[in-house]
């Protein structure tokens, strides 16, 4: 029994923070988990920049409303969900992910939550659990599932390494070079074919 665990940003939808950096004209916000492996440090830094510029949840949600899934992402997800269970495991937040899930056909997503003040200022964030991607994959394995995992960033490596099969998808040259043991794909067709092969074994 297989469950495929996928990252969200960079795999199915564009990076939310990069889109917001472009919309707000704040280039520093383009920094993501591809650049900074420590997610806690990255988020605290982002919240500091938002506070400095007087920006809150409403402004980010306005940008998210305009984000569309990557070309072919929904079709890939639909076909994959016809083959096995799929869970999107993301370090994003429910307040960011909800509108994107509608555009992807409401797949299951495990993510985190933001702490938001009445005026819309993002004051903090609550992670679902420590090392959420790796912890989730291990929990699924503990109840009898084999996992297949795919992602593009440093924070996906734990779940990729711990799974029966793990794949990099549209990752950076540096990550591909540092982790040559993981097959790296650029197209949904290639990734789907690789997952089908594992399921058929």
């Amino acid at each position: 029994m297989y469950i495929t665990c996928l990252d969200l940003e960079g795999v199915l939808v564009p990076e939310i923070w990069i889109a917001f950096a472009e919309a707000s004209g704040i280039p520093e916000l383009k920094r993501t988990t591809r650049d900074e492996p420590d997610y806690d440090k990255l988020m605290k830094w982002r919240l500091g920049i938002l506070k400095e510029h007087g920006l809150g949840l409403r402004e980010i949600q306005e940008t998210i409303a305009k984000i569309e899934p990557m070309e072919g992402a929904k079709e890939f997800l639909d076909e994959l969900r016809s083959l096995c269970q799929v869970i999107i495991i993301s370090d994003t937040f429910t307040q960011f992910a909800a509108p994107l899930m509608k555009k992807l056909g409401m797949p299951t997503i495990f993510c985190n939550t933001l702490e938001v003040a009445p005026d819309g200022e993002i004051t903090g964030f609550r992670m679902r659990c420590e090392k959420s991607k790796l912890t989730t994959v291990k929990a699924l394995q503990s109840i009898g599932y084999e996992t297949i995992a795919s992602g593009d960033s440093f924070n996906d490596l734990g779940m990729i390494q711990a799974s029966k099969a793990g794949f990099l998808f549209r990752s950076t040259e540096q990550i591909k070079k540092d982790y040559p043991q993981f097959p790296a794909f650029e197209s949904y067709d290639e990734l789907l074919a690789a997952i089908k092969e594992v399921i058929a074994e």
Side-chain angles (χ1 to χ4, degrees):
M1 289 184 289
Y2 283 101
I3 290 187
T4 298
C5 300
L6 298 173
D7 179 32
L8 177 65
E9 295 176 67
V11 174
L12 298 168
V13 303
E15 293 279 352
I16 291 166
W17 287 98
I18 290 177
F20 186 63
E22 287 165 0
S24 63
I26 306 170
E28 305 96 289
L29 287 173
K30 286 188 176 174
R31 195 167 174 75
T32 70
T33 47
R34 287 171 161 225
D35 314 296
E36 174 54 73
D38 185 333
Y39 191 73
D40 190 64
K41 184 176 162 189
L42 178 65
M43 270 309 296
K44 284 175 178 162
W45 179 78
R46 284 168 170 166
L47 295 190
I49 291 175
L50 292 179
K51 192 174 175 65
E52 196 182 305
H53 290 269
L55 297 167
L57 181 60
R58 185 177 56 82
E59 289 83 2
I60 298 175
Q61 285 179 329
E62 282 169 5
T63 296
I64 292 169
K66 297 178 192 133
I67 292 176
E68 292 299 323
M70 291 176 173
E71 195 178 331
K74 185 175 182 300
E75 294 75 9
F76 160 75
L77 205 49
D78 287 346
E79 188 168 348
L80 184 56
R81 287 166 79 191
S82 76
L83 303 171
C84 65
Q85 295 296 314
V86 178
I87 298 174
I88 296 169
I89 308 176
S90 174
D91 278 338
T92 194
F93 305 95
T94 49
Q95 294 93 332
F96 290 0
L100 296 168
M101 292 306 101
K102 284 182 187 157
K103 293 178 183 181
L104 286 168
M106 293 307 288
T108 299
I109 183 167
F110 292 175
C111 60
N112 306 300
T113 189
L114 291 168
E115 292 167 351
V116 185
D119 66 355
E121 183 193 342
I122 301 170
T123 54
F125 56 97
R126 284 201 306 276
M127 303 301 279
R128 195 168 41 81
C129 56
E130 203 179 330
K131 293 184 177 167
S132 64
K133 298 188 181 198
L134 174 61
T135 305
T136 303
V137 155
K138 287 193 163 172
L140 292 168
Q141 291 165 352
S142 78
I143 54 169
Y145 286 98
E146 291 276 18
T147 59
I148 300 167
S150 183
D152 69 324
S153 296
F154 284 110
N155 63 340
D156 299 311
L157 294 169
M159 72 171 180
I160 289 172
Q161 280 168 321
S163 291
K164 178 171 181 184
F167 308 108
L168 293 170
F169 186 73
R170 296 181 183 168
S171 192
T172 64
E173 290 309 316
Q174 191 59 53
I175 292 174
K176 287 191 276 193
K177 194 173 136 206
D178 291 347
Y179 296 88
Q181 68 270 41
F182 301 129
F185 302 119
E186 296 299 316
S187 79
Y188 292 120
D189 287 346
E190 291 172 314
L191 180 57
L192 192 62
I195 294 170
K196 281 180 175 173
E197 212 171 288
V198 178
I199 293 170
E201 279 172 10

